[in-house]
Amino acid sequence: MDLVNLGIKSIFVDNMIFAYFLGMCSYLAVSKKVSTAIGLGAAVVFVLTIIVPANWMVQQYILKESALTWLSPQFEGMNLEFLQFIMFIAIIAAMVQLVEMIVEKVSPALYGTLGIFLPLIAVNCAILGSALFMVQRDYTLAEAAVFGTSSGIGWMLAIVALAAIREKLKYSNVPSGLKGLGLTMIITGLMGLAFKSFIGIAL
Amino acid sequence: MSTEVAEEKVVKKSEALFSKRRKKLVADPLNEDNPITIQVLGICSALAVTVKMEPTIIMALGVTFTIVFSNLLISLIRNFVPNRIRIIVQLAVVALFVTLVSEFLKAYNYPMYKVLGAFVGLIITNCIVMGRLEAFAMGNKPYDSILDGFGSGLGYAWIILAVSFFREFLGSGSILNFKVFQALGIPYVNNGLMVDSIGAFMILAIIIWVQRTKTGYVEQ
């Protein structure tokens, strides 16, 4: 039950975009068409599902203080946490490369639409952010897996909704300075306000 | 590489330390080519850390430091990096400097490290840093790259400082933790929306609007 609650909380209340502003770059850049947004969203969910538990294991068995004792008792008290950023980003970059190869093989059409943005998932802050939050909040492995998947789903939900709104707004007449980024920011703010209504939701 | 530079100096007169072109490198990202409002990069941290001005200043310093030095390092090694693995090399270089920033902060200002939390680590994925490395440092000389990084850092800094000024002023009624309204004796009810994410989006939208109207930039 706790896991279900954690999932709901990470999708709606602690939404990656509306609560933590993570992954804004691709969120703003790839939200012009719903179909592309769904593709990128699915890729992010997939990557997050793998990355967060993978980084959990790295943190637990390599980086944490005295974590390497499973190798030999002489590593007692060794703390490799200063290597955290480099380890995490290396794992993320490798994993994204893998996803890119899989997508290219399985669905060339999707690969064509995602184009440049697929490798950019590696520098999507939502991915690294989830990994760092997972460490900060001391999740267990099961919690980490649920957290990764559901924050991915939350991110996908946000980008698909924004893309749908932007498709409608394409032909409206807005002040030239607000066109594009400015208007998107305001829409995101209003969507965030709507998402605020989920606060306190629990099973 | 040093011989190459020396040879060039013989052929053409060396450029002044602060020539017009170099001043432009620093000045352009401040307004006409601002990384946040025009290039739409680095939005995440622009919004996440701007509830109060103090963490924002630390963040701006950290990002500027990271851009300048990773620009320098990448520019120095740009001729030895194979094209296929350049993203990973760039990420490793950025991660190195962010680790330095993070360890420094942990040692000298632990409360601030706690406040910024994961967002120090997220400088690695700040698109401005990667964007400058990819677009500038991979193809330019070290000194120019430092100036370019410095300009982008400043362009980023003034926008997030502006956002945090309004958010702290309206959301907490203070500037740099100094309670302005209380000191003036004006009753002011703090606007909770400004502390929240929604205020950040709105304030940034307004700043973008004003800034783009001023520079006359229109997105297609």
Side-chain angles (χ1 to χ4, degrees):
Chain A
M1 216 50 180
D2 279 348
L3 290 180
V4 178
N5 269 336
L6 177 70
I8 291 176
K9 207 169 146 248
S10 341
I11 294 179
F12 295 109
V13 184
D14 288 344
N15 189 291
M16 275 290 145
I17 299 264
F18 302 123
Y20 297 111
F21 317 99
L22 293 179
M24 290 294 294
C25 297
S26 30
Y27 171 79
L28 295 170
V30 198
S31 57
K32 292 197 177 101
K33 268 180 71 187
V34 172
S35 52
T36 338
I38 291 177
L40 184 70
V44 167
V45 174
F46 182 66
V47 172
L48 266 175
T49 310
I50 302 173
I51 290 283
V52 179
N55 278 343
W56 184 88
M57 287 183 193
V58 170
Q59 170 73 17
Q60 204 69 18
Y61 294 114
I62 299 179
L63 297 177
K64 229 174 153 185
E65 196 173 348
S66 310
L68 278 173
T69 37
W70 59 271
L71 211 58
S72 142
Q74 75 191 54
F75 292 124
E76 178 76 47
M78 197 156 85
N79 189 348
L80 290 178
E81 251 170 16
F82 65 96
L83 286 177
Q84 196 182 51
F85 295 151
I86 293 185
M87 282 295 269
F88 280 14
I89 204 75
I91 290 175
I92 290 171
M95 215 52 107
V96 168
Q97 200 84 53
L98 194 71
V99 172
E100 195 183 345
M101 289 193 293
I102 293 173
V103 171
E104 193 179 6
K105 189 95 185 159
V106 175
S107 160
L110 181 61
Y111 184 76
T113 21
L114 289 180
I116 174 83
F117 293 108
L118 210 51
L120 280 184
I121 293 183
V123 286
N124 187 330
C125 354
I127 315 281
L128 184 62
S130 307
L132 292 175
F133 280 147
M134 173 266 297
V135 174
Q136 217 172 36
R137 296 177 190 164
D138 273 334
Y139 285 142
T140 63
L141 181 57
E143 280 173 340
V146 171
F147 173 71
T149 315
S150 45
S151 34
I153 294 173
W155 195 87
M156 183 177 177
L157 195 68
I159 191 173
V160 172
L162 180 74
I165 297 175
R166 281 183 79 175
E167 267 190 9
K168 292 273 175 210
L169 274 175
K170 205 159 37 181
Y171 303 105
S172 22
N173 196 8
V174 295
S176 61
L178 263 186
K179 237 177 223 161
L181 182 60
L183 196 63
T184 312
M185 279 286 153
I186 293 180
I187 299 166
T188 313
L190 294 176
M191 280 164 72
L193 203 55
F195 267 70
K196 279 276 165 295
S197 57
F198 290 114
I199 280 182
I201 207 167
L203 288 183
Chain B
M1 226 171 67
S2 57
T3 54
E4 188 186 309
V5 175
E7 273 169 16
E8 254 176 60
K9 266 182 188 159
V10 178
V11 179
K12 62 169 191 190
K13 227 177 121 196
S14 71
E15 211 177 340
L17 206 57
F18 290 106
S19 64
K20 216 171 185 183
R21 186 182 64 88
R22 286 184 166 151
K23 269 186 195 148
K24 221 170 129 53
L25 280 181
V26 180
D28 258 5
L30 291 185
N31 235 338
E32 274 122 62
D33 203 17
N34 192 286
I36 295 186
T37 60
I38 309 286
Q39 299 175 17
V40 201
L41 296 173
I43 308 271
C44 325
S45 57
L47 298 168
V49 297
T50 51
V51 178
K52 288 269 167 73
M53 279 187 89
E54 219 182 324
T56 313
I57 294 171
I58 305 274
M59 189 70 182
L61 286 178
V63 169
T64 311
F65 171 84
T66 312
I67 303 185
V68 169
F69 283 94
S70 34
N71 251 3
L72 170 67
L73 191 55
I74 285 288
S75 175
L76 284 174
I77 62 172
R78 69 183 190 278
N79 295 326
F80 311 108
V81 179
N83 208 28
R84 281 192 70 85
I85 58 157
R86 66 181 195 286
I87 299 275
I88 297 188
V89 173
Q90 287 165 6
L91 277 176
V93 168
V94 178
L96 165 72
F97 287 108
V98 173
T99 308
L100 284 182
V101 170
S102 160
E103 295 293 313
F104 183 83
L105 210 55
K106 216 190 273 180
Y108 289 100
N109 198 343
Y110 193 69
M112 199 45 78
Y113 175 79
K114 277 279 158 210
V115 171
L116 286 172
F119 289 102
V120 180
L122 287 173
I123 300 177
I124 299 174
T125 51
N126 190 318
C127 335
I128 301 176
V129 183
M130 289 296 288
R132 284 341 284 168
L133 292 182
E134 183 73 14
F136 198 90
M138 286 300 285
N140 284 285
K141 293 226 177 82
Y143 181 58
D144 288 353
S145 302
I146 292 180
L147 290 180
D148 177 80
F150 189 62
S152 292
L154 283 186
Y156 169 84
W158 88 259
I159 295 282
I160 64 170
L161 280 175
V163 174
S164 70
F165 172 78
F166 287 113
R167 281 186 79 187
E168 186 176 352
F169 187 61
L170 299 171
S172 319
S174 58
I175 294 171
L176 279 170
N177 284 331
F178 174 72
K179 298 264 176 212
V180 181
F181 288 106
Q182 236 170 48
L184 291 174
I186 304 169
Y188 176 76
V189 181
N190 290 340
N191 188 341
L193 271 189
M194 287 297 153
V195 182
D196 215 282
S197 51
I198 300 142
F201 287 121
M202 294 299 173
I203 297 265
L204 188 61
I206 293 167
I207 289 179
I208 288 165
W209 190 3
V210 172
Q211 214 259 352
R212 282 190 173 180
T213 313
K214 243 178 65 195
T215 52
Y217 175 86
V218 179
E219 202 171 306
Q220 287 312 311

